[in-house]
Amino acid sequence: MRTVRPEGPIIYVTDDPNLVISDFLGYALSLHKISGRPRAEELAERFSPEGSGMALPIFVAYRATEPDDIPPELNELSEYAKDDFDRMEIWVLTRLPPGQLSESAVVEGSELRHLLNEALAQTTRSN
């Protein structure tokens, strides 16, 4: 399982070469500034197995429910059958930089929530 390490304003994640998961954590931890809700409550609701994820102009995170939900650049996951998606909780994290190609990462639900909880705990301690 990946781990998180805050370093100043950036939250680094192991096994995240393009920093997509790191960027996701930064944006997700900032959602409370839009909603006005407590961070832990906001994250628990949005990223629960039935959660809505997030959609910002520069980043989206959503639960994949079928193979076509996986972005083409992650074609190694396209061989999953519909049955796999019924048994698994797969989240797609996609950075949408203006004028550039998008970059995505896929994380299973339990690991996504683990990373969110770790990042929340570590950034709360450092503030």
Side-chain angles (χ1 to χ4, degrees), residues 37-108:
R37 297 172 61 200
R39 283 201 297 184
E41 181 182 303
E42 180 84 18
L43 296 173
E45 182 179 304
R46 284 181 178 265
F47 301 105
S48 73
E50 301 80 29
S52 61
M54 70 178 186
L56 303 172
I58 54 177
F59 207 100
V60 296
Y62 60 91
R63 182 165 177 198
T65 57
E66 57 186 65
D68 288 345
D69 291 342
I70 303 293
E73 70 264 22
L74 299 175
N75 62 4
E76 72 271 7
L77 296 175
S78 63
E79 73 274 1
Y80 283 125
K82 176 66 176 148
D83 293 343
D84 293 330
F85 283 85
D86 291 341
R87 288 191 319 267
M88 300 171 71
E89 181 188 347
I90 299 172
W91 285 80
V92 177
L93 314 176
T94 303
R95 181 174 46 221
L96 306 164
Q100 299 175 26
L101 293 175
S102 63
E103 290 186 278
S104 298
V106 173
V107 180
E108 288 193 39

